[in-house]
Amino acid sequence: MKTLRTALLLGINASLALSLSLFAADKEPPAAKKPERPQPPTRPFDAPGTPTFTRLDGTPGANPPTDVDGDFLVGPEYVPAPEFRVVEGVPQGKMEQFSMDSKECKLFNPGIARDVFGAVDPNNPKTLIVETHPIDYKRTVTVYIPAQYVPGSAAPFIVTHDGPGMGRPDMNFAHVLDNLIAQKRVPAMIAIMISSGGGDAQGHERGREYDTMSGLYAEFIENEVLPLVEKNYTLKLTKDPEGRATMGNSSGGSAALIMAWYHPELYHRVLTFSGTFVNQQWPFNPETPDGAWNFHNKLIPESAAKPLRIWMAVGDRDLLNPNVMRDEMHDWVDANNRTAKALKQKGYHYQYLYCLNAGHGVGNARAQILPQALEWLWKGYPTAPAR
């Protein structure tokens, strides 16, 4: 009898709980649904409006020459470059890390974040309405110091975005630099890998830093990050913009070009993978109403050529309209194609790789093309250490 009573009570309690949950669900609005990300199709390299690409021989592992500009097809099969391996006898650089607290910074203090993805502004379909709240955050700065660095010399350097977290340095990148420096294919450069303030796109700190069309993030790095790098590791970084490069993937790629575009007196060399040259700036800025899409539809075509050397890559299955905005300015393949064409028309030194059978970030191709990209990027710069 006791067992039966217990079972009945449990059944009543379960029914009551179910009724209460249904009542609550009826009274409360459902949680905001995350916008669906359409599956990007494969975009043909010879579609109308695309650059005229030079096709390589199709051999897996084949890269374009490092001493020419232009548009090239690579893939669809890829072979990791040997420069990613540790080679006996090659001097190994050091990897160091430190943390920056937003509360101790002047710019980007506090950070921002959102809980719900924004809605399209009915008065301006080129932007979103996003509710944000302030946050404190920490960012990790990872520093690669080559074994060939001469203390007291003004070293060339490369700034990379979306740097690794604390305790997880990117040793693959270090091995590539070790080998390229030892082979005198690039100068003995410092690499400064900076993580973002977190989140992604409109309403998050990473989006504010990387997608904003201004010189603000370059100024943050110049005035707040680089002095700490020099102080913490007794380094001297060159002031010569020819010896300064910036590199990134996705919005980190747009940040790389934005830094050099708005501050060419600081950076002359830019490397991007799947650059987000689309309309993702937030908040809305009437001076650049299309965000980074303005690079190819206005800024590059209508401005005098800047002293920049730009390497780019995109995948034929890269992103297409990955959020609620359907403004025809969210196709990463089209954006990169248009940027390459604008650079060519203005006479820039650029190299553009269209990676067959590759998606966003060209992940499967990256291990093949990164060493080639770095070598092309640094062409013309002395490989002997400065004194």
Side-chain angles (χ1 to χ4, degrees):
M1 180 65 68
K2 184 176 181 181
T3 302
L4 177 60
R5 186 182 299 118
T6 301
L8 288 171
L9 288 173
L10 288 173
I12 292 170
N13 288 337
S15 298
L16 179 61
L18 178 60
S19 299
L20 289 173
S21 67
L22 291 173
F23 177 80
D26 186 56
K27 292 295 183 181
E28 294 182 5
K33 185 178 180 182
K34 185 176 181 181
E36 294 184 1
R37 173 170 292 187
Q39 184 67 29
T42 298
R43 262 64 65 79
F45 65 87
D46 55 356
T50 58
T52 302
F53 292 101
T54 299
R55 181 190 283 272
L56 302 181
D57 61 9
T59 302
N63 291 320
T66 58
D67 57 353
V68 297
D69 296 352
D71 311 295
F72 296 89
L73 289 178
V74 294
E77 297 179 37
Y78 301 95
V79 177
E83 290 84 1
F84 279 84
R85 295 195 293 265
V86 176
V87 178
E88 185 177 355
V90 169
Q92 305 293 302
K94 296 187 299 181
M95 292 287 266
E96 307 282 359
Q97 292 186 305
F98 67 93
S99 180
M100 295 181 66
D101 193 317
S102 65
K103 294 191 293 290
E104 298 174 356
C105 295
K106 295 178 180 178
L107 293 175
F108 304 115
N109 174 23
I112 61 170
R114 59 171 162 80
D115 295 323
V116 179
F117 194 88
V120 176
D121 185 344
N123 298 317
N124 183 0
K126 292 184 177 182
T127 191
L128 300 177
I129 297 174
V130 187
E131 292 187 11
T132 67
H133 57 270
I135 60 167
D136 297 321
Y137 60 91
K138 292 184 179 180
R139 75 172 81 239
T140 300
V141 180
T142 305
V143 182
Y144 165 86
I145 306 169
Q148 295 88 343
Y149 175 67
V150 177
S153 66
F157 64 92
I158 186 168
V159 170
T160 77
H161 304 302
D162 289 315
M166 185 63 68
R168 297 182 284 110
D170 185 355
M171 297 310 299
N172 285 326
F173 192 44
H175 300 331
V176 169
L177 292 177
D178 287 338
N179 288 314
L180 292 178
I181 291 169
Q183 297 166 18
K184 299 190 182 302
R185 293 162 60 190
V186 300
M189 75 181 87
I190 308 290
I192 303 162
M193 295 155 265
I194 307 170
S195 66
S196 75
D200 185 36
Q202 298 95 327
H204 276 304
E205 181 61 27
R206 179 177 181 266
R208 179 167 72 153
E209 295 168 5
Y210 289 1
D211 296 317
T212 299
M213 296 292 286
S214 77
L216 195 61
Y217 191 58
E219 293 157 20
F220 166 73
I221 292 175
E222 188 70 18
N223 298 319
E224 302 194 48
V225 181
L226 300 186
L228 287 177
V229 171
E230 292 183 313
K231 177 183 176 182
N232 290 348
Y233 307 116
T234 318
L235 301 173
K236 184 177 180 182
L237 301 172
T238 184
K239 300 293 186 183
D240 178 5
E242 278 293 301
R244 289 163 157 238
T246 181
M247 165 182 163
N249 175 75
S250 192
S251 285
S254 59
L257 182 54
I258 288 167
M259 287 175 64
W261 182 265
Y262 287 96
H263 283 292
E265 80 283 6
L266 298 179
Y267 298 94
H268 281 183
R269 302 174 190 270
V270 178
L271 193 158
T272 76
F273 292 98
S274 295
T276 300
F277 308 132
V278 305
N279 179 28
Q280 196 158 284
Q281 176 174 242
W282 185 90
F284 180 77
N285 181 356
E287 294 182 4
T288 49
D290 301 335
W293 190 269
N294 272 144
F295 269 131
H296 42 84
N297 76 351
K298 183 176 178 65
L299 295 178
I300 296 172
E302 297 181 8
S303 302
K306 298 176 185 285
L308 306 182
R309 184 176 178 87
I310 302 170
W311 188 97
M312 305 163 49
V314 77
D316 63 353
R317 293 183 286 104
D318 223 297
L319 296 183
L320 174 63
N321 288 336
N323 57 41
V324 297
M325 300 181 76
R326 296 294 183 266
D327 54 7
E328 298 185 353
M329 292 187 290
H330 275 83
D331 184 334
W332 269 248
V333 173
D334 188 32
N336 279 265
N337 284 342
R338 290 164 58 102
T339 300
K341 291 177 69 175
L343 293 172
K344 182 175 184 178
Q345 289 170 358
K346 297 297 288 192
Y348 278 85
H349 283 296
Y350 81 97
Q351 191 176 86
Y352 178 39
L353 271 59
Y354 196 87
C355 302
L356 303 176
N357 189 35
H360 190 57
V362 297
N364 55 331
R366 190 164 178 162
Q368 172 180 307
I369 63 181
L370 178 60
Q372 178 267 355
L374 289 165
E375 184 177 358
W376 184 93
L377 187 70
W378 286 96
K379 280 293 180 182
Y381 192 82
T383 54
R387 293 181 180 274

